[in-house]
Amino acid sequence: MINCVINDKKLKVKEGTTILDAAKEIGIDIPTLCHMKLPNFNYKNKPSSCRICMVEVVGRPKLCTACSEEITEGMIVKTDTPKAVEARKINLELLLSNHPKDCLVCPKNLNCELQALAEKMGIREIAYKGERMQHKVDASSNSIYRNPNKCVMCRRCETMCNEVQTVGTLSGLNRGFDAIVAPAFNISLAESSCTFCGQCVAVCPTGAIVEIDATDKVFNAIKNPKKHVVVQVAPSIRVAIGELFDMEAGEVTTGKLVTALRKLGFDVVFDTDFSADLTVMEEASELVDRIENNKTLPILTSCCPAWVRFIEMNYPDMLDIPSSCKSPQIMMGSMVKTYYANKTGIPSKDIVMVSVMPCTAKKAEAARSELGTKDIRDVDYVLSTRELGRMIKLYGIDFKGLEEGKFDKLMGESSGAGTIFGTTGGVIEAAIRTASEWLTGKELEKIEFEELRGLKGIRGAQVKIGDLNLKVGIAHGLGNARKLLDGIRSKKYNFDAIEIMACPGGCIGGGGQPYHHGHEEILLKRQRALYDIDKNKKFRKAHENPMIKEIYETYLGKPYGERAHDLLHTSYSP
Ligand code: HC1
Ligand code: SF4
C-alpha cells in the first residue's frame, strides 16, 4: 500500500491507483468528461483528453490530470486550489466555445455530462467566442444518429467501438478544428462496418451520438384511427425504465409499464418474454435436432442483432453455426401479423407493430429486408427504453404512481426462462432448461444453472444432461465474441452450444437503456432483478407456459415444424 495525502486527509491506496480513484475513495469528486472505467466489464477509456480533472501535486510546478497520474509514496495532492479550479474552468470554457449551444432541443438535454459540468462549475457565459467546427451530421442508418458538431473528442465511443467491441468503425480523423471521431474516410454509418450495437451511444457524454428517434412515427400511428397499434416490451426494459423516473436501478416495474403503454394509447400490450419462450421452443428443438442427428455443432444463439451483423460481416464462413431462429422481437412481430391477425380478424396491413427494446440494433434488425415484405413488416417501429421514457413524460404520466396493469392475454404470459433472456447467460440457460427435459424425458431437479451465470466476458461450463456432457460457451461484448469465434476456428474452444450478446452484460447494458454514466452497480442491479423475477414466476420453463402450449396446439403445429419454420426462422447472408 502507498501513503498519500489528498486535501489534508491521509490515506493508503493500492499501487497503481490514480489520483482520481484515490480521491473518490475518500468522497472527493474530481470533475472529468472523458473518464470511463467499468472494472467488472474490464474496460476503461484512454485518459486525459478532456483535461478537466486538473489537480495540484505539491512540489510540482505544473498541474496534472488526476485520471492519468498514479499516486506515488508520500504524494500530497490538492484538488481544491484556485489554480486547479481555474484551470479546469478554462479548459471547460474552451470546450464550450466550440460547442453548439442548442441544449434546449438537444436529444441529450438534462442527460448531457458537458451540460452538467457547465452547471456544476458555474459557467454563466461563453468566454471565448469565434469560429466553430462545422461537420455534416449522419442520419444514414435506421439506428444511430451522429452529430460530430457536438463531439468533445473524449474518445469514449472510439474505445468502446475498437477496444471493447473490436468492430473498428469509429476512430479519430483529422486535426485541429477538423478533428472528429468518425468511420474511416468519414463515410456514413450505413455504409460502414457498424453493427449498430449502440455502445458508442451508451457512453457518449454529449449529444454527438444518439439513437434515431421513432417517437413521432409511433405517435402518428396511435393517432391514426385506421391503425391498430400493438406494442411489445423486451425483458430488460422492466428492470431499467424506472431509473428515468427517479426509481432505483433494478426496481421491477412490469405492471406500471403496461399501464403506461395503455395510457399512451396502444391498443394491445404484449410481452417479448412470451416470444422469448417461443424462441426457446424453437432453439431447444434445433439443439436437440442437431445433437440427435449429428448435425453442425456448436449451435449459436441468434437473438442479438448486433451480434448477427457482426458474424455476417466478420465470419462469413461460419454462418452455418447460428441458430436459424428469428429473435424474440421479430417472432412476436411475425405472430402478431399472422396468428393475432387471424384470431381478431384485423387485416395485417392495418396492424402496426411497435417494439420497446433496450437496444439500438433492434431498429436495424426490424428494417432487415428478409423480415417481412415491403408493405407488411414483422415489426414496424422500434423505440428504445429512453424514447419510451420521453413519451411517458410528454404525456405527464406519473409513472411511479401508476397502478399495476397486466399484459393482454394472447401473448402476454411468460415463464421465467423468457425473462432471463435480458442478461448475459440467460438465453442459453433458458434453452437448456427445456432441451434438458426433452432429451432426458425427466423433470429438472434444479432449474437454476449457476455455472452459466456471472459477468466474466467469456465463460465455459459443462452441463450434464442425462449421459450427455453439453459443453456451453458464453460471451458478452463483441470483443469477447471475436475471441470466442477465433477460438472455435482454431479449435482452441470446443463447445456444443454458445450464447453471444453484443453488449457488455447483455440487454441490461443495451445501447438504448437509461444512461448508466459509468455506474457499474446499475448494470448489476438490473441483472439481479431479472433473476428475481424468474425466481418468483409460476412457470420457469418455456415449454410449461400454457399460452405457448396453446399457440402450438391451435396454430403452429409441432415446434420446429413446417409452419414454425415459415414464421419463426430466417437465414443469414454475408
Ligand atoms: Fe434482448 Fe431479446 S433479450 S435481444 O437482449 O432475445 O434487445 O431485453 O428483447 O428480441 O426476449 C434486446 C432484451 C430482447 C429479443 C428477447
Ligand atoms: Fe461501433 Fe457499435 Fe457504435 Fe457501431 S454502434 S460505431 S459498432 S460502438
Side-chain angles (χ1 to χ4, degrees):
M1 296 295 271
I2 300 174
N3 298 293
C4 65
V5 180
I6 303 182
N7 293 359
D8 301 326
K9 201 160 181 177
K10 287 185 185 164
L11 71 153
K12 286 180 193 293
V13 294
K14 277 197 215 130
E15 199 168 330
T17 306
T18 61
I19 295 176
L20 188 80
D21 287 339
K24 206 176 272 168
E25 282 180 22
I26 52 170
I28 297 171
D29 187 23
I30 302 170
T32 164
L33 202 52
C34 66
H35 181 70
M36 169 179 82
K37 187 166 123 186
L38 274 78
N40 261 309
F41 296 90
N42 200 20
Y43 62 82
K44 64 172 192 235
N45 196 21
K46 298 174 200 73
S48 53
S49 65
C50 72
R51 311 200 75 77
I52 300 290
C53 63
M54 308 304 285
V55 293
E56 263 195 273
V57 173
V58 173
R60 289 200 199 169
K62 284 190 180 165
L63 298 172
C64 65
T65 47
C67 69
S68 60
E69 195 74 26
E70 290 179 6
I71 299 277
T72 52
E73 181 58 39
M75 189 184 254
I76 301 173
V77 181
K78 295 207 178 279
T79 72
D80 54 0
T81 62
K83 193 174 161 190
V85 171
E86 193 55 26
R88 280 180 213 150
K89 209 168 165 189
I90 290 171
N91 288 345
L92 181 61
E93 282 169 340
L94 286 168
L95 279 175
L96 291 172
S97 73
N98 192 23
H99 197 84
K101 269 71 79 184
D102 59 352
C103 301
L104 280 178
V105 290
C106 178
K108 283 298 270 294
N109 190 13
L110 300 184
N111 262 308
C112 173
E113 293 177 44
L114 183 66
Q115 188 185 45
L117 265 186
E119 196 275 329
K120 192 172 176 180
M121 288 166 66
I123 307 286
R124 288 292 173 266
E125 62 178 317
I126 301 301
Y128 309 102
K129 298 189 177 80
E131 219 186 322
R132 265 199 30 228
M133 60 182 169
Q134 297 294 336
H135 297 289
K136 61 178 187 334
V137 300
D138 178 359
S140 61
S141 78
N142 294 300
S143 293
I144 291 173
Y145 178 84
R146 283 180 51 245
N147 184 350
N149 299 305
K150 299 195 173 189
C151 176
V152 290
M153 294 302 286
C154 71
R155 320 293 277 260
R156 287 185 188 176
C157 59
E158 192 182 340
T159 298
M160 290 310 289
C161 194
N162 292 323
E163 287 167 33
V164 179
Q165 302 297 63
T166 66
V167 176
T169 299
L170 296 175
S171 52
L173 304 181
N174 311 332
R175 285 176 184 269
F177 260 148
D178 291 335
I180 47 168
V181 177
F185 308 112
N186 211 1
I187 58 170
S188 70
L189 275 181
E191 299 166 293
S192 77
S193 58
C194 177
T195 64
F196 306 113
C197 72
Q199 284 305 302
C200 50
V201 176
V203 298
C204 176
T206 69
I209 311 187
V210 294
E211 68 270 36
I212 294 270
D213 191 297
T215 55
D216 279 348
K217 287 181 178 153
V218 173
F219 276 133
N220 284 340
I222 291 173
K223 271 190 302 200
N224 186 342
K226 294 201 181 97
K227 295 292 176 192
H228 180 77
V229 189
V230 179
V231 67
Q232 61 170 322
V233 263
S236 61
I237 309 292
R238 65 208 67 198
V239 294
I241 195 167
E243 292 160 39
L244 300 174
F245 301 95
D246 300 323
M247 294 165 87
E248 266 293 304
E251 218 169 310
V252 178
T253 61
T254 319
K256 294 186 192 308
L257 191 51
V258 173
T259 307
L261 290 164
R262 291 199 199 285
K263 281 189 178 288
L264 285 173
F266 289 101
D267 295 302
V268 173
V269 185
F270 285 147
D271 194 353
T272 314
D273 290 23
F274 167 87
S275 48
D277 278 349
L278 203 53
T279 308
V280 171
M281 296 294 284
E282 293 299 313
E283 221 160 56
S285 304
E286 193 177 347
L287 172 62
V288 171
D289 175 57
R290 290 205 202 181
I291 291 173
E292 288 182 339
N293 298 308
N294 288 324
K295 294 185 182 167
T296 310
L297 285 175
I299 185 173
L300 269 154
T301 59
S302 56
C303 53
C304 167
W307 141 239
V308 167
R309 193 164 147 92
F310 183 78
I311 191 172
E312 284 180 326
M313 283 191 299
N314 297 284
Y315 298 84
D317 54 315
M318 294 172 89
L319 287 176
D320 57 335
I321 304 182
S323 154
S324 60
C325 289
K326 289 178 176 175
S327 74
Q329 103 138 334
I330 303 297
M331 282 198 186
M332 174 63 84
S334 178
M335 294 314 294
V336 163
K337 299 280 174 93
T338 55
Y339 173 63
Y340 175 76
N342 276 354
K343 276 242 171 198
T344 56
I346 303 169
S348 48
K349 68 173 179 42
D350 294 335
I351 299 177
V352 177
M353 179 75 234
V354 177
S355 310
V356 185
M357 295 280 137
C359 172
T360 46
K362 289 279 170 197
K363 290 175 184 267
E365 180 186 43
R368 285 178 68 114
S369 58
E370 72 276 16
L371 301 176
T373 62
K374 192 170 150 285
D375 300 321
I376 300 179
R377 307 294 308 153
D378 285 347
V379 170
D380 296 286
Y381 304 120
V382 179
L383 298 165
S384 67
T385 322
R386 294 188 295 264
E387 286 166 86
L388 178 63
R390 290 201 287 275
M391 291 171 75
I392 295 171
K393 284 180 186 168
L394 177 64
Y395 271 65
I397 296 168
D398 168 23
F399 187 80
K400 248 180 170 175
L402 288 176
E403 68 276 18
E404 305 285 316
K406 281 208 173 355
F407 287 108
D408 282 284
K409 272 271 172 259
L410 204 58
M411 291 188 275
E413 187 159 346
S414 61
S415 76
T419 307
I420 58 173
F421 262 54
T423 171
T424 166
V427 179
I428 204 77
E429 178 173 339
I432 288 173
R433 287 181 190 177
T434 289
S436 167
E437 293 203 352
W438 283 350
L439 282 163
T440 61
K442 285 193 199 133
E443 198 172 324
L444 278 175
E445 279 170 24
K446 195 167 181 307
I447 289 171
E448 283 118 1
F449 290 82
E450 296 293 343
E451 61 274 39
L452 303 175
R453 299 186 176 187
L455 283 173
K456 211 166 148 226
I458 301 179
R459 317 195 278 287
Q462 299 234 3
V463 176
K464 203 149 172 47
I465 302 178
D467 297 333
L468 179 80
N469 260 331
L470 192 77
K471 296 184 279 311
V472 182
I474 294 167
H476 58 122
L478 290 173
N480 292 321
R482 185 184 288 284
K483 284 187 202 146
L484 194 94
L485 290 177
D486 286 344
I488 293 170
R489 230 189 216 159
S490 68
K491 311 241 182 302
K492 175 181 166 196
Y493 292 126
N494 174 22
F495 291 124
D496 302 314
I498 294 172
E499 177 203 292
I500 292 181
M501 298 304 264
C503 295
C507 291
I508 47 168
Q513 291 280 47
Y515 296 109
H516 54 66
H517 294 299
H519 296 291
E520 183 170 273
E521 188 54 26
I522 290 179
L523 298 179
L524 300 174
K525 284 181 178 168
R526 292 176 190 166
Q527 185 185 51
R528 280 196 288 274
L530 287 179
Y531 284 128
D532 283 347
I533 300 178
D534 167 42
K535 216 182 279 169
N536 294 320
K537 277 270 170 120
K538 182 167 173 204
F539 303 104
R540 299 186 65 191
K541 295 167 236 162
H543 59 283
E544 289 179 350
N545 177 348
M547 292 287 154
I548 289 284
K549 287 183 187 167
E550 187 183 324
I551 210 168
Y552 278 102
E553 275 162 25
T554 63
Y555 191 72
L556 284 171
K558 250 171 70 70
Y560 209 46
E562 205 176 319
R563 189 169 231 178
H565 254 283
D566 271 1
L567 295 174
L568 307 177
H569 290 255
T570 185
S571 58
Y572 310 105
S573 45

